[in-house]
Amino acid sequence: MKALVCYMLTDLLRSNRYFMPGTAYVIFVAWIYSVKPNPVLESYGVTAALLFAIAAWFGILLDGVEPKRQQDLTVLHAGGYVRYAQARMALLGLAALACTLYAVAVPLLRHSFDRGVTVTDLVLAFYSHGLAFALGAGISWLAVTVSRKQTEMLGVLLVVICASLGAGGIAEVLPGWSAWLTWLLPPVYQLLGGLFGSGNRAVDLAYPLVYAAVLYMVIVKRFVSRR
């Protein structure tokens, strides 16, 4: 598995497909903290929300790193589609770790916050950024398994990203009996609510984790069955 992940990482680095989303995130985070001071959790919430969108962008680009024939050969050497999917998830995990470390460390190194950062703040920051990346990359990977029409796929993905970030406002305008439908969207809004402590923090933080676990189980099943 380690060799497979290293191969995927090398292939990704050679393709330069990481450059645009990575650069966009680096610049945006640097821009946010160019003005001081900043509130701690609110600032981390902004960078986590952006990471959700960046991860979805990265997930789309990642799918095109290997041509179809080369991917089939990689799957053959990997020992099956399940192991290939597991290796891709590990690669996404490395990307999530890199982005999270950057987003969490930059304001600390620049002393950009208006107060001292506690251990709880750091735990919430790592958790929210990691899950935001997992949700963003997950929905783009699922979109790839559902449709190969890039224009259609990108359009749907953009709608889902916007709806997920604005789920709170959408729930307010929906009839009371249908407001629960927003919980079917990737729960970025709930994740940010848990980060800010604006609602039931335990539920708001736990639900995105459960959602992500189910999402990736569905992805692997569709990824395998599609082939």
Side-chain angles (χ1 to χ4, degrees):
M1 179 65 72
K2 181 180 178 180
L4 181 58
V5 175
C6 288
Y7 163 75
M8 287 183 170
L9 178 59
T10 302
D11 213 23
L12 173 64
L13 294 177
R14 286 175 178 172
S15 72
N16 292 323
R17 283 175 173 259
Y18 65 90
F19 182 78
M20 287 299 291
T23 301
Y25 194 62
V26 166
I27 292 174
F28 188 86
V29 172
W31 174 73
I32 286 178
Y33 295 113
S34 63
V35 178
K36 304 175 185 179
N38 298 278
V40 179
L41 294 180
E42 288 79 358
S43 300
Y44 279 141
V46 172
T47 54
L50 177 68
L51 187 56
F52 169 67
I54 291 291
W57 182 10
F58 175 75
I60 291 291
L61 297 178
L62 179 62
D63 187 71
V65 169
E66 278 191 307
K68 181 65 172 64
R69 288 187 178 181
Q70 182 180 333
Q71 189 178 95
D72 289 339
L73 288 173
T74 304
V75 170
L76 182 63
H77 288 289
Y81 286 106
V82 173
R83 284 184 62 81
Y84 183 90
Q86 290 171 342
R88 180 179 285 192
M89 283 189 282
L91 179 60
L92 290 174
L94 291 175
L97 179 61
C99 292
T100 299
L101 286 173
Y102 174 74
V104 173
V106 164
L108 297 178
L109 295 174
R110 292 174 59 89
H111 305 287
S112 299
F113 291 133
D114 58 1
R115 63 172 176 81
V117 178
T118 66
V119 173
T120 300
D121 293 332
L122 290 177
V123 170
L124 288 172
F126 273 98
Y127 183 82
S128 59
H129 283 81
L131 261 183
F133 189 100
L135 291 169
I139 60 170
S140 63
W141 192 359
L142 181 62
V144 168
T145 66
V146 172
S147 174
R148 280 290 182 180
K149 296 179 180 178
Q150 191 172 36
T151 303
E152 174 185 299
M153 180 175 56
L154 291 176
V156 172
L157 196 58
L158 183 60
V159 171
V160 171
I161 290 171
C162 293
S164 299
L165 293 172
I170 294 174
E172 290 179 1
V173 300
L174 288 175
W177 60 269
S178 61
W180 65 271
L181 290 172
T182 57
W183 286 76
L184 298 178
L185 294 166
V188 184
Y189 181 82
Q190 289 87 342
L191 179 63
L192 297 180
L195 179 64
F196 303 149
S198 57
N200 188 326
R201 173 167 277 179
V203 173
D204 287 343
L205 292 176
Y207 179 63
L209 182 62
V210 175
Y211 189 102
V214 174
L215 175 62
Y216 277 89
M217 286 191 288
V218 172
I219 288 169
V220 172
K221 184 175 180 179
R222 286 198 59 86
F223 183 76
V224 173
S225 64
R226 193 182 66 169
R227 272 118 179 123

Short mmCIF file of all heavy atoms in Angstrom, two decimals, residues 3 6 8 31 46 54 59 66 99 123 147 183 191 195-196 216 220:
data_model
loop_
_atom_site.label_atom_id
_atom_site.label_comp_id
_atom_site.label_asym_id
_atom_site.label_seq_id
_atom_site.Cartn_x
_atom_site.Cartn_y
_atom_site.Cartn_z
N ALA A 3 3.85 1.67 -1.23
CA ALA A 3 4.44 1.87 -2.55
C ALA A 3 3.40 2.44 -3.52
O ALA A 3 3.73 3.31 -4.35
CB ALA A 3 4.98 0.55 -3.09
N CYS A 6 2.88 6.12 -2.73
CA CYS A 6 4.05 6.87 -3.19
C CYS A 6 4.01 7.05 -4.71
O CYS A 6 4.34 8.12 -5.24
CB CYS A 6 5.34 6.16 -2.78
SG CYS A 6 5.69 6.25 -1.02
N MET A 8 1.25 7.11 -6.59
CA MET A 8 0.19 8.08 -6.88
C MET A 8 0.66 9.50 -6.59
O MET A 8 0.37 10.44 -7.35
CB MET A 8 -1.06 7.76 -6.06
CG MET A 8 -1.82 6.54 -6.51
SD MET A 8 -3.33 6.33 -5.52
CE MET A 8 -4.16 5.04 -6.45
N TRP A 31 -3.79 36.07 2.53
CA TRP A 31 -4.53 37.33 2.42
C TRP A 31 -5.42 37.56 3.64
O TRP A 31 -5.50 38.68 4.16
CB TRP A 31 -5.38 37.32 1.15
CG TRP A 31 -6.28 38.50 1.03
CD1 TRP A 31 -5.92 39.78 0.73
CD2 TRP A 31 -7.70 38.52 1.23
NE1 TRP A 31 -7.02 40.61 0.72
CE2 TRP A 31 -8.13 39.86 1.02
CE3 TRP A 31 -8.64 37.56 1.54
CZ2 TRP A 31 -9.46 40.23 1.13
CZ3 TRP A 31 -9.97 37.92 1.66
CH2 TRP A 31 -10.37 39.25 1.46
N VAL A 46 -13.52 30.35 8.33
CA VAL A 46 -13.43 30.85 6.95
C VAL A 46 -12.47 29.98 6.13
O VAL A 46 -12.77 29.58 5.00
CB VAL A 46 -12.96 32.32 6.94
CG1 VAL A 46 -12.66 32.77 5.50
CG2 VAL A 46 -14.03 33.21 7.55
N ILE A 54 -11.92 24.11 -2.21
CA ILE A 54 -10.63 23.80 -2.81
C ILE A 54 -10.45 22.28 -2.95
O ILE A 54 -9.95 21.78 -3.97
CB ILE A 54 -9.48 24.39 -1.98
CG1 ILE A 54 -9.49 25.92 -2.07
CG2 ILE A 54 -8.13 23.82 -2.40
CD1 ILE A 54 -9.10 26.47 -3.42
N GLY A 59 -10.15 17.33 -6.04
CA GLY A 59 -10.65 15.98 -6.31
C GLY A 59 -10.97 15.74 -7.77
O GLY A 59 -10.71 14.66 -8.32
N GLU A 66 -4.28 10.05 -14.07
CA GLU A 66 -3.95 8.82 -14.81
C GLU A 66 -4.91 8.60 -15.97
O GLU A 66 -6.13 8.62 -15.75
CB GLU A 66 -4.03 7.60 -13.88
CG GLU A 66 -2.83 7.36 -13.03
CD GLU A 66 -2.88 6.00 -12.36
OE1 GLU A 66 -3.89 5.70 -11.71
OE2 GLU A 66 -1.91 5.24 -12.49
N CYS A 99 -2.72 20.76 3.82
CA CYS A 99 -3.53 21.99 3.81
C CYS A 99 -3.92 22.41 5.22
O CYS A 99 -3.93 23.61 5.55
CB CYS A 99 -4.80 21.77 2.97
SG CYS A 99 -4.49 21.58 1.20
N VAL A 123 -7.56 21.79 18.48
CA VAL A 123 -8.25 20.53 18.18
C VAL A 123 -9.41 20.78 17.23
O VAL A 123 -9.60 20.07 16.23
CB VAL A 123 -8.74 19.85 19.47
CG1 VAL A 123 -9.66 18.66 19.14
CG2 VAL A 123 -7.55 19.37 20.31
N SER A 147 -20.93 10.64 -13.21
CA SER A 147 -20.98 11.18 -14.56
C SER A 147 -19.60 11.49 -15.08
O SER A 147 -18.74 11.97 -14.33
CB SER A 147 -21.83 12.46 -14.59
OG SER A 147 -21.78 13.09 -15.85
N TRP A 183 -30.04 18.49 5.52
CA TRP A 183 -29.11 17.57 6.18
C TRP A 183 -28.59 16.50 5.22
O TRP A 183 -27.68 15.75 5.55
CB TRP A 183 -29.78 16.92 7.39
CG TRP A 183 -29.91 17.87 8.55
CD1 TRP A 183 -30.81 18.88 8.67
CD2 TRP A 183 -29.07 17.93 9.71
NE1 TRP A 183 -30.60 19.57 9.85
CE2 TRP A 183 -29.55 19.00 10.51
CE3 TRP A 183 -27.99 17.18 10.16
CZ2 TRP A 183 -28.96 19.33 11.73
CZ3 TRP A 183 -27.41 17.52 11.38
CH2 TRP A 183 -27.89 18.57 12.14
N LEU A 191 -20.74 21.65 10.40
CA LEU A 191 -19.37 21.58 10.90
C LEU A 191 -18.90 22.95 11.40
O LEU A 191 -18.29 23.06 12.47
CB LEU A 191 -18.45 21.08 9.78
CG LEU A 191 -16.96 20.96 10.10
CD1 LEU A 191 -16.73 19.95 11.20
CD2 LEU A 191 -16.18 20.57 8.84
N LEU A 195 -17.88 24.32 15.13
CA LEU A 195 -16.64 25.05 15.37
C LEU A 195 -16.92 26.32 16.16
O LEU A 195 -16.18 26.66 17.10
CB LEU A 195 -15.97 25.39 14.04
CG LEU A 195 -14.67 26.19 14.08
CD1 LEU A 195 -13.58 25.39 14.79
CD2 LEU A 195 -14.22 26.55 12.67
N PHE A 196 -17.99 27.02 15.80
CA PHE A 196 -18.33 28.28 16.47
C PHE A 196 -19.08 28.06 17.78
O PHE A 196 -19.20 28.98 18.59
CB PHE A 196 -19.20 29.16 15.56
CG PHE A 196 -18.55 29.48 14.24
CD1 PHE A 196 -19.32 29.67 13.10
CD2 PHE A 196 -17.17 29.58 14.13
CE1 PHE A 196 -18.73 29.96 11.89
CE2 PHE A 196 -16.57 29.88 12.92
CZ PHE A 196 -17.34 30.07 11.79
N TYR A 216 -17.73 7.95 1.87
CA TYR A 216 -16.61 7.22 1.29
C TYR A 216 -16.92 5.75 1.09
O TYR A 216 -16.38 5.12 0.17
CB TYR A 216 -15.34 7.43 2.13
CG TYR A 216 -14.65 8.72 1.78
CD1 TYR A 216 -14.99 9.91 2.44
CD2 TYR A 216 -13.71 8.79 0.76
CE1 TYR A 216 -14.38 11.11 2.11
CE2 TYR A 216 -13.10 9.99 0.42
CZ TYR A 216 -13.44 11.14 1.09
OH TYR A 216 -12.85 12.33 0.74
N VAL A 220 -16.51 4.13 -2.66
CA VAL A 220 -15.75 2.90 -2.97
C VAL A 220 -16.65 1.88 -3.67
O VAL A 220 -16.24 1.25 -4.65
CB VAL A 220 -15.16 2.31 -1.68
CG1 VAL A 220 -14.54 0.94 -1.96
CG2 VAL A 220 -14.09 3.25 -1.11
#
